[in-house]
Amino acid sequence: MSAASSALSTYRRIFAEAPGSLAFSAAGFIARMPMSMVGIGMVTMLSSLRGDYALGGAVSATMALAAALLGPQVARLVDRYGQSRIALRATGVTVAAMGALLLCAAFGAPDWTLFVCALVVGCMPAMGSLVRARWAHLYQGSPLLHTAYSFESVVDEIVFIVGPILAVGLSTSWFPEAGPLLATVLLAVGTLLFCAQGRTEPPVHPHAHASGSSALRTRGLLVLVITFVGTGAVFGSVEVTTVAFADHLHHKALSSVVLAVYALGSCIAGIVFGALELKGPLSRRFLVGIITLAVSMLPLLFVKNLVALAAALFVAGLSISPTMVTTMGLVERIVPPAKLTEGMTWTTTGLAVGVAFGSSAAGWVVDAAGASAGYWVTVAAAALSVVTAFLGSRRLRSAPEQQEGARVESDDPARPVEQLGR
């Protein structure tokens, strides 16, 4: 009981010592709901309307690839011109494109119209990066930043618990377009509420971008991005294959519950991880996390029913949140503050590219070889992550130390924790 109280006290501190943090975090939660709803909602919608998992996976993959291309550019504009100014405009474009896509799907427009709309949906701002950039602005250099990142990782997992249930549940029990439609509404409302929290918005750094150099050129960041391509393929293939596997067993609606159990494992791990005071290099923790994630995917090859699948996914989920928290900690450590949002978005871009390939490949394998065969894509993607992380481990070990001088000389204003009187 004392351990639970200690953990709760640790999480309370991150809000108590930073006025306004609860408001932007709550708004960010609403705005992030679409990231767990759009992909699986698109697969569910198009498989119901047109009976084609491959089409649903391809449209979902197109969105992810578009986000990979456009997301870092939107994030770079955010760093240069401010969160509210850019996020509101990007969200407006996304909402319009998603509305057009749903109309095309509902009225039987040609398949190519779905892909055109999906490309524009890629303008969606990476709200998770924007939220974490605010925490970094508030707690840079403080141990509380680890707790804040862990909290946001838990929020992400809650999003992935609630989102698929809503998307699949609404699309299967109400009408096929209901899940993606709700995701669109939540994006609009959440972004508006988030951008209204002006006092916690990080400062802009227009002159830091005058050279035109990208955050991707930062030593070590490319290793994280490529590793996350494999990790994203794990996530994308698990989603598509789980829906198909449940459908094969005539329980398609339960796929959202199984995926929620997957996210629940990550959520629990994230809560515990955030309350720990860990020592040792972040690069080592990152490599251990990726290896653990890969090993935990192997049991998926042997499941025969939904109960066994849920149990296997719960165990697999335990490694996700700690790995994500460690990754964001590495990004915050190695990327200059003036390019932090872009740096974080590059990691989510890696995930998006991976999700695109993973969901598309899994959809193709499912259609060609059966539902459970899609989990071979998952295992192969996890192996790719391990190989990349291992080969790049030396660059990650050296990157934080090399960036310390750059951070000290940064044009970032006085640390906000000092402004808060700490």
Side-chain angles (χ1 to χ4, degrees):
M1 190 70 178
S2 59
S5 299
S6 177
L8 183 60
S9 175
T10 301
Y11 282 102
R12 282 175 177 167
R13 283 185 63 196
I14 63 174
F15 296 109
E17 299 189 24
S21 56
L22 181 60
F24 77 70
S25 182
F29 166 72
I30 298 172
R32 273 182 284 177
M33 285 294 291
M35 75 179 183
S36 69
M37 298 175 66
V38 170
I40 192 171
M42 202 58 55
V43 172
T44 306
M45 179 184 75
L46 292 175
S47 65
S48 298
L49 289 174
R50 307 193 182 188
D52 192 340
Y53 279 102
L55 176 62
V59 173
S60 178
T62 300
M63 289 182 182
L65 286 173
L69 293 172
L70 300 176
Q73 310 312 316
V74 173
R76 195 172 185 182
L77 292 173
V78 166
D79 283 329
R80 187 167 187 175
Y81 298 109
Q83 291 188 348
S84 298
R85 183 175 176 183
I86 301 302
L88 288 173
R89 288 167 170 78
T91 297
V93 173
T94 303
V95 168
M98 183 63 77
L101 191 156
L102 295 181
L103 289 173
C104 289
F107 290 100
D111 290 352
W112 66 265
T113 61
L114 304 178
F115 290 98
V116 170
C117 294
L119 286 172
V120 184
V121 171
C123 289
M124 184 187 301
M127 295 305 298
S129 297
L130 270 64
V131 172
R132 287 176 173 87
R134 293 200 180 200
W135 282 119
H137 172 59
L138 293 171
Y139 286 128
Q140 181 186 332
S142 167
L144 290 179
L145 184 58
H146 166 76
T147 305
Y149 281 171
S150 296
F151 176 80
E152 293 303 331
S153 182
V154 171
V155 171
D156 282 341
E157 299 312 326
I158 293 174
V159 165
F160 277 94
I161 291 172
V162 177
I165 294 176
L166 286 175
V168 176
L170 288 175
S171 292
T172 54
S173 64
W174 197 6
F175 57 91
E177 302 86 355
L181 177 61
L182 178 61
T184 305
V185 173
L186 291 174
L187 174 66
V189 173
T191 303
L192 286 171
L193 293 175
F194 180 81
C195 291
Q197 313 300 321
R199 63 174 175 167
T200 53
E201 183 172 342
V204 297
H205 305 269
H207 58 283
H209 299 267
S211 64
S213 63
S214 170
L216 193 59
R217 298 179 64 181
T218 304
R219 181 177 178 84
L221 183 59
L222 187 59
V223 174
L224 300 178
V225 173
I226 297 176
T227 302
F228 265 36
V229 171
T231 306
V234 169
F235 299 158
S237 59
V238 164
E239 278 196 357
V240 172
T241 306
T242 298
V243 173
F245 188 78
D247 191 18
H248 174 71
L249 297 176
H250 309 292
H251 294 292
K252 185 176 181 179
L254 290 179
S255 61
S256 61
V257 178
V258 175
L259 290 172
V261 172
Y262 182 37
L264 178 62
S266 181
C267 182
I268 293 173
I271 293 172
V272 175
F273 190 73
L276 299 177
E277 295 183 5
L278 301 174
K279 296 183 180 180
L282 288 169
S283 56
R284 183 193 304 161
R285 271 184 254 160
F286 174 74
L287 182 59
V288 170
I290 292 295
I291 293 173
T292 303
L293 186 148
V295 172
S296 69
M297 296 299 159
L298 293 175
L300 297 178
L301 299 175
F302 307 102
V303 296
K304 301 297 182 183
N305 56 65
L306 289 182
V307 174
L309 177 60
L313 286 176
F314 176 82
V315 174
L318 294 174
S319 62
I320 294 176
S321 197
T323 303
M324 296 295 291
V325 173
T326 301
T327 302
M328 291 304 173
L330 272 170
V331 174
E332 191 274 335
R333 183 78 182 272
I334 68 179
V335 174
K339 299 180 180 181
L340 183 57
T341 307
E342 183 191 351
M344 289 182 172
T345 303
W346 273 116
T347 60
T348 58
T349 291
L351 281 175
V353 171
V355 168
F357 285 112
S359 60
S360 182
W364 180 83
V365 170
V366 164
D367 285 341
S372 61
Y375 288 124
W376 281 104
V377 177
T378 302
V379 173
L384 172 64
S385 292
V386 171
V387 171
T388 305
F390 181 78
L391 293 177
S393 59
R394 184 175 181 179
R395 293 183 66 84
L396 289 176
R397 284 196 301 270
S398 62
E401 289 76 14
Q402 292 190 16
Q403 287 298 323
E404 282 303 309
R407 185 172 294 281
V408 171
E409 296 172 3
S410 166
D411 61 341
D412 202 38
R415 279 168 39 189
V417 288
E418 298 173 2
Q419 297 171 4
L420 293 171
R422 296 182 64 242

